[in-house]
Amino acid sequence: MSGLRGQVDEARGRLAQARRVAVLTGAGISAASGLPTFRGPGGVWEEFRPEELATPVAYARDPHRVWAWYAWRYRMACEASPNRAHELLVALERAVGDGFLLVTQNVDGLHRRAGSQRVVELHGTLHRARCEACGERFALPPPDRFVPPPHCPRCGSRARPDVVWFGELLPAAAYRVAHEAFQAAEVALVVGTSAVVEPAASLGRVARRAGAYLVEVNPEATPLTPLAHLSLRCGAVEGLELLLGTQPS
Ligand code: OAD
Ligand code: ZN
């Protein structure tokens, strides 16, 4: 354990010194808020195959079914609260300042609700819809008043969830900003993602190749684990507390 303690101390030191820090989060960081992950035990994808719901083809075939799934997740996200792991990343952002970027694959909005500001939501958000005709983006009404599918406030056409589906490209500008931050990072922190969905999964590799100190927090090993300088095999709250919380005496 003394080896691990030494590595944690080193990671804490690097995080405290670094002027450029890039963080990538996935569904695991919201597990402690009660939101299910996609893969693994209790994951959403155990019940639903992604290609049945999170694709343009699925939506074209059965928009009501796809919207029902997103409306359910939207309600869950609204009813959930950010957890201590989200809060610790807010504190890290305040400490690092302009050289900080948080890139999330999550669509639950919990990072912003916790207070994170330098956030890239790479896969969009459950809280918005996007007009299928004119592209207008707009916030959904509160879950209690929301009856899917929503219609565009500008042109009246049907709107789709404002998320990225399998087979769709990530928003180019958002990905470029994310890529640059990981390329430039002195420390890269990857939390709660299975790191199997590209291109988000490769951001950790980009940082590592460019010389960053790479830290992973995940209860299970991932394709990134062999590259990480430090891999904390625990939940996000526990791991970020170790890395960023008040130092235990
Ligand atoms: P996944 O569901 O693929 O992976 C969740 C990861 O969180 C797993 O590696 C778990 O081991 C880990 N995990 C579980 N509990 C945890 C905890 N308490 N603390 C920390 N980690 C924990 O979720 P993502 O990697 O985010 O994309 O999935 C990536 C993308 O795949 C999603 O954004 C979504 C999905 O398809 C789209 O919908 C486009
Ligand atoms: Zn419209």
Side-chain angles (χ1 to χ4, degrees):
M1 284 312 275
S2 63
L4 180 60
R5 183 62 191 266
Q7 281 176 295
V8 170
D9 285 345
E10 163 151 25
R12 287 181 67 98
R14 285 178 183 264
L15 278 161
Q17 297 288 317
R19 298 174 58 186
R20 292 184 306 277
V21 176
V23 183
L24 174 68
T25 64
I29 197 167
S30 297
S33 296
L35 300 180
T37 58
F38 294 93
R39 299 174 185 78
V44 177
W45 296 145
E46 276 192 315
E47 290 166 65
F48 303 102
R49 296 196 310 145
E51 56 273 24
E52 284 175 14
L53 290 166
T55 72
V57 173
Y59 186 64
R61 195 182 297 139
D62 194 345
H64 289 275
R65 181 158 181 258
V66 172
W67 255 120
W69 188 56
Y70 278 94
W72 171 65
R73 291 174 59 203
Y74 170 56
R75 174 181 288 276
M76 273 200 301
C78 289
E79 288 171 357
S81 302
N83 65 58
R84 177 83 183 135
H86 297 101
E87 287 165 7
L88 284 161
L89 292 179
V90 176
L92 179 63
E93 175 179 354
R94 293 212 177 107
V96 176
D98 279 340
F100 179 92
L101 188 69
L102 170 54
V103 179
T104 187
Q105 301 168 86
N106 297 345
V107 292
D108 57 34
L110 291 184
H111 284 302
R112 286 191 195 282
R113 275 176 57 199
S116 287
Q117 293 185 346
R118 295 168 179 91
V119 188
V120 170
E121 292 178 320
L122 216 46
H123 290 170
T125 174
L126 293 172
H127 299 263
R128 270 195 325 253
R130 184 166 90 231
C131 177
E132 289 170 45
C134 76
E136 174 86 348
R137 293 182 154 88
F138 58 95
L140 295 180
D144 284 341
R145 290 199 274 116
F146 177 46
V147 182
H151 288 86
C152 175
R154 202 159 79 181
C155 76
S157 301
R158 194 181 67 190
R160 54 165 280 176
D162 192 17
V163 300
V164 177
W165 281 327
F166 286 96
E168 294 184 323
L169 294 177
L170 294 180
Y175 186 70
R176 194 168 52 243
V177 169
H179 192 277
E180 280 168 9
F182 276 80
Q183 185 106 47
E186 295 157 63
V187 181
L189 188 53
V190 178
V191 184
T193 174
S194 56
V196 294
V197 176
E198 294 292 348
S202 60
L203 290 171
R205 277 198 295 278
V206 165
R208 179 68 166 89
R209 221 177 289 135
Y213 186 83
L214 178 62
V215 183
E216 177 181 60
V217 180
N218 197 310
E220 293 178 9
T222 77
L224 267 188
T225 305
L227 293 180
H229 293 92
L230 172 61
S231 188
L232 291 175
R233 213 52 77 71
C234 59
V237 172
E238 191 188 342
L240 292 183
E241 196 73 68
L242 271 175
L243 292 167
L244 302 167
T246 317
Q247 184 99 53
S249 53

